[in-house]
């Protein structure tokens, strides 16, 4: 390694913001400022559980720790280190989750009435961003795996068709990877969009770690994307709600993006969350590959053990690459349970109730365990042992296969207009043909079956009723039981 390269690496061992906050805590200054709990003295029960340092780190903007919406010192340095880590031209800390990053990406590139091309299986935060920005969605339908019963991702060929039909669209949004871990050929998608003068925005909420090991699908910055939003708290090691916005090297003005970001940025950020981003970046930059090497070996063993049980199928990266133009993030431990004679919902409930194991999500045929930088073999051993026990006590009659449904409802009204339109409540069974005034979605993963301004069909109603019978978590409606749905008052 060159001297310059070694000096660059040494920089990544720095945590400028965390160091400044630690100094402030040790300084023990008289706190005649916000927050009012005063080092936890006004929140004793909470302090006794979480510890005094956490509450001393709970600071408002003060001398020496910089200001998040207009940084000039330690936050600036920390964000430059973050940008360098991801090979981005600029990076911004987010402490309102990746949602704020997604909204900023869309609002930075689309004005009211502009078209944006995106997959139909996007997260609810993107639908919310359409309401805020006034952008018009043009959907690309993703492929479906009939074997696993899950939505995969979009293909370059399908994207090109949509781009050619909508040449005035202002941007293309891609998901890298999906909640299930599936990715498109992102580099080809970026090239296709750029060829037509469209910037590429990437929802990389579940892919922070992919930049740090060449076994994973290509990351957004490596693929040449213009902007990406990454949830460091999901797979990068930081605390929940902490994320980052990355700006590529294509010439998009990072200062304008910062202006848009500041429209909704809090003026009272959590320095506890910000410091976790600083330390997580250091760990990824200096030890990321080593940690991920160990995790991938552990997951290879886990998949082999699960597939030995019988009745379960835990696919790896090769399965998705052989199935089409897709790849797979192997930190997502996807397990198809259909041949065990149970639904994914039933297996999830049994794991929680009988084995004290909490997994990320379930659907009709699968469960999904998300692994991470802090994974332990004993966690995965507990899962393998539980799945073995469930299989031993289950009648292995394969459950009836129900074809995966790809909903692409007719858009009658744009999301923003529908959001502000008068609405009325209608029983679910009577909603066929009505225009939805709210989202209906399974959470997780948070992908709407129908969104605002879209026509509710009989097929959607029957699918929702089936999901209710399976006791899965449905959200987005004013009625938490989804017996009634708000529709546009026409």
């Amino acid at each position: 390694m060159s001297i310059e390269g070694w000096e660059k690496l040494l920089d990544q061992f720095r945590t400028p913001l965390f160091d400044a906050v630690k100094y402030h805590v040790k300084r023990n200054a008289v706190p005649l400022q916000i927050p009012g709990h005063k080092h936890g003295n006004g929140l004793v029960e909470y302090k006794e559980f979480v510890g005094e340092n956490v509450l001393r780190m709970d600071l408002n903007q003060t001398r020496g720790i910089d200001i998040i919406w207009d940084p000039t010192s330690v936050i600036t340095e920390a964000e430059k280190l973050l940008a360098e880590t991801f090979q981005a031209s600029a990076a911004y800390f987010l402490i309102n989750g990746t949602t704020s990053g997604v909204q900023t990406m869309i609002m930075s590139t689309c004005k009211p009435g502009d078209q944006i091309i995106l997959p139909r299986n996007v997260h609810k935060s993107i639908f919310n961003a359409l309401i805020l920005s006034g952008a018009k969605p043009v959907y690309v339908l993703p492929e479906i795996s009939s074997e696993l019963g899950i939505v995969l991702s979009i293909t370059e060929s399908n994207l090109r068709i949509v781009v050619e039909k909508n040449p005035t669209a202002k941007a293309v949004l891609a998901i890298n990877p999906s909640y299930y871990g599936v990715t498109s050929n992102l580099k080809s998608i970026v090239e296709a969009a750029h060829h037509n003068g469209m910037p590429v925005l990437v929802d990389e909420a579940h892919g922070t770690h992919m930049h740090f090991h060449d076994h994973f699908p290509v990351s957004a910055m490596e693929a040449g994307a213009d902007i990406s939003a990454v949830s460091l708290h999901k797979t990068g090691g930081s605390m929940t709600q902490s994320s980052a916005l990355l700006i590529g090297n294509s010439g998009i003005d990072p200062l304008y993006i910062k202006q848009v970001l500041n429209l909704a940025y809090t003026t009272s950020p959590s320095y506890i969350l910000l410091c976790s981003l600083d330390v997580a970046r250091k760990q990824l930059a200096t030890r990321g590959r080593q940690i991920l090497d160990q995790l991938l070996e552990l997951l290879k063993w886990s998949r082999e053990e699960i597939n030995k049980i019988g009745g379960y199928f835990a696919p790896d990266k090769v399965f998705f690459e052989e199935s089409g133009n897709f790849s797979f993030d192997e930190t997502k431990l996807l397990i198809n349970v259909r041949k065990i004679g149970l639904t994914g919902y039933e297996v999830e409930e049994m794991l929680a109730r009988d084995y004290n194991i909490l997994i990320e999500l379930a659907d009709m045929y699968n469960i999904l365990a998300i692994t991470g930088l802090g994974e332990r073999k004993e966690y995965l051993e507990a899962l393998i042992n539980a799945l073995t026990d469930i299989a031993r006590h289950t009648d292995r009659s394969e459950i009836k296969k129900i074809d995966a449904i790809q909903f692409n409802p007719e858009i009658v009204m744009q999301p923003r207009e529908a959001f502000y339109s008068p609405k009325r409540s209608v029983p679910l069974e009577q909603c066929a043909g009505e225009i939805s005034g709210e989202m209906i979605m399974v959470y997780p993963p948070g992908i709407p079956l129908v969104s605002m301004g879209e026509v509710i069909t009989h097929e959607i109603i029957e699918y929702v009723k089936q999901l209710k019978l399976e006791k899965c978590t449905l959200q987005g409606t004013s009625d938490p039981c989804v017996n009634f749905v708000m529709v546009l008052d026409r």
Side-chain angles (χ1 to χ4, degrees):
M1 181 181 292
S2 67
I3 294 176
E4 291 79 13
W6 179 246
E7 288 175 345
K8 188 175 183 179
L9 182 62
L10 282 176
D11 287 341
Q12 289 295 341
F13 281 95
R14 288 179 48 76
T15 50
L17 177 58
F18 186 42
D19 290 346
V21 170
K22 284 192 294 183
Y23 172 80
H24 186 82
V25 169
K26 292 175 183 177
R27 179 185 174 191
N28 196 26
V30 176
L32 298 178
Q33 53 185 192
I34 296 171
H37 61 70
K38 307 295 181 176
H39 298 168
N41 297 323
L43 201 61
V44 175
E45 181 182 354
Y46 189 71
K47 180 172 72 170
E48 288 175 351
F49 185 79
V50 303
E52 186 170 337
N53 271 356
V54 171
L55 287 157
R56 284 182 174 273
M57 290 176 66
D58 187 27
L59 304 166
N60 198 32
Q61 280 85 22
T62 191
R63 287 176 177 270
I65 59 171
D66 216 351
I67 299 174
I68 188 63
W69 69 86
D70 187 22
T72 58
S73 58
V74 291
I75 291 178
T76 297
E77 184 180 354
E79 289 182 333
K80 284 181 177 179
L81 286 168
L82 181 65
E84 180 181 273
T85 300
F86 282 93
Q87 298 172 285
S89 66
Y92 300 120
F93 288 151
L94 305 174
I95 37 79
N96 189 28
T98 299
T99 293
S100 59
V102 164
Q103 293 171 349
T104 298
M105 288 195 300
I106 293 176
M107 293 172 67
S108 296
T109 52
C110 297
K111 295 180 175 61
D114 286 344
Q115 289 181 324
I116 180 171
I117 297 171
L118 65 163
R120 182 59 181 81
N121 61 319
V122 291
H123 187 261
K124 70 168 188 173
S125 63
I126 293 172
F127 286 92
N128 290 339
L130 297 176
I131 294 169
L132 290 171
S133 66
K136 296 180 178 180
V138 179
Y139 294 120
V140 183
L141 289 184
E143 301 293 309
I144 285 180
S145 168
S146 57
E147 183 173 348
L148 298 176
I150 66 170
V151 174
L152 297 171
S153 193
I154 64 172
T155 62
E156 178 198 352
S157 57
N158 285 345
L159 174 71
R160 286 186 181 277
I161 292 170
V162 175
V163 167
E164 289 173 6
K165 289 181 178 178
N166 300 274
T168 60
K170 298 300 181 181
V172 171
L173 187 141
I175 306 169
N176 192 56
S178 71
Y179 211 140
Y180 288 98
V182 184
T183 69
S184 304
N185 185 335
L186 184 59
K187 195 164 186 179
S188 295
I189 285 173
V190 170
E191 291 172 355
H194 283 178
H195 180 73
N196 288 273
M198 299 176 188
V200 177
L201 322 176
V202 182
D203 177 355
E204 207 161 35
H206 292 273
T208 300
H209 61 290
M210 296 197 314
H211 188 81
F212 300 93
H213 199 290
D214 54 15
H215 182 78
F216 296 116
V218 66
S219 71
M221 291 296 102
E222 291 171 319
D226 298 271
I227 320 175
S228 76
V230 293
S231 295
L232 273 85
H233 71 92
K234 286 186 172 73
T235 65
S238 66
M239 292 182 69
T240 296
Q241 201 175 309
S242 58
S243 299
L245 191 64
L246 307 175
I247 318 303
N249 294 282
S250 60
I252 285 185
D253 183 6
L255 295 180
Y256 175 68
I257 293 172
K258 180 66 171 177
Q259 285 183 323
V260 176
L261 178 60
N262 282 347
L263 290 175
Y265 216 119
T266 178
T267 56
S268 302
S270 167
Y271 281 86
I272 299 169
L273 299 183
L274 291 171
C275 286
S276 80
L277 284 168
D278 203 16
V279 178
R281 181 270 313 154
K282 171 187 173 181
Q283 178 175 254
L284 287 169
T286 61
R287 297 182 54 237
R289 184 178 181 88
Q290 173 190 346
I291 296 171
L292 291 168
D293 266 334
Q294 296 168 353
L295 178 58
L296 286 167
E297 283 299 314
L298 183 56
L299 285 165
K300 180 181 179 182
W301 168 81
S302 300
R303 286 188 170 87
E304 291 172 352
E305 293 299 309
I306 291 168
N307 288 332
K308 286 178 187 176
I309 297 171
Y312 302 110
F313 174 51
D316 60 7
K317 183 179 177 182
V318 174
F319 170 84
F320 289 93
E321 290 176 343
E322 290 179 346
S323 299
N325 299 314
F326 306 107
S327 191
F328 183 59
D329 164 21
E330 290 188 339
T331 67
K332 312 297 187 292
L333 186 52
L334 176 64
I335 305 168
N336 187 271
V337 303
R338 182 166 56 86
K339 292 184 179 179
I340 209 70
L342 298 169
T343 66
Y345 302 119
E346 290 172 322
V347 174
E348 177 193 27
E349 183 178 1
M350 294 169 73
L351 287 170
R353 182 191 63 214
D354 302 332
Y355 304 93
N356 200 28
I357 296 173
L358 301 179
I359 60 168
E360 182 66 19
L361 70 83
D363 60 30
M364 191 66 72
Y365 306 120
N366 306 278
I367 60 172
L368 178 69
I370 291 189
T371 64
L373 304 181
E375 207 60 54
R376 295 183 177 179
K377 187 174 184 180
E378 63 204 65
Y379 297 163
L380 295 173
E381 284 177 331
L383 175 62
I384 292 165
N385 291 336
L387 292 174
T388 302
D389 196 47
I390 290 171
R392 189 181 297 123
H393 297 94
T394 302
D395 175 18
R396 298 194 183 194
S397 55
E398 185 175 340
I399 67 170
K400 180 181 179 182
K401 190 172 190 307
I402 304 170
D403 291 334
I405 301 173
Q406 173 133 261
F407 294 114
N408 187 31
E410 178 188 0
I411 301 173
V412 176
M413 188 178 292
Q414 297 304 323
R416 185 172 187 169
E417 184 182 359
F419 179 80
Y420 288 109
S421 295
K423 303 173 182 68
R424 57 191 170 89
S425 180
V426 174
L428 175 66
E429 292 81 0
Q430 299 175 22
C431 283
E434 298 284 357
I435 303 171
S436 183
E438 54 190 358
M439 298 182 197
I440 307 175
M441 60 191 162
V442 183
Y443 200 96
I447 298 167
L449 305 173
V450 64
S451 188
M452 298 175 193
E454 298 178 346
V455 176
I456 302 172
T457 63
H458 176 73
E459 290 77 13
I460 290 174
I461 294 170
E462 290 304 308
Y463 190 65
V464 170
K465 289 165 66 175
Q466 183 181 36
L467 293 174
K468 289 175 65 177
L469 288 174
E470 295 296 338
K471 299 180 180 179
C472 71
T473 303
L474 288 165
Q475 291 188 357
T477 51
S478 301
D479 174 13
C481 298
V482 201
N483 293 323
F484 292 83
V485 178
M486 298 298 293
V487 301
L488 298 195
D489 192 7
R490 294 184 288 176

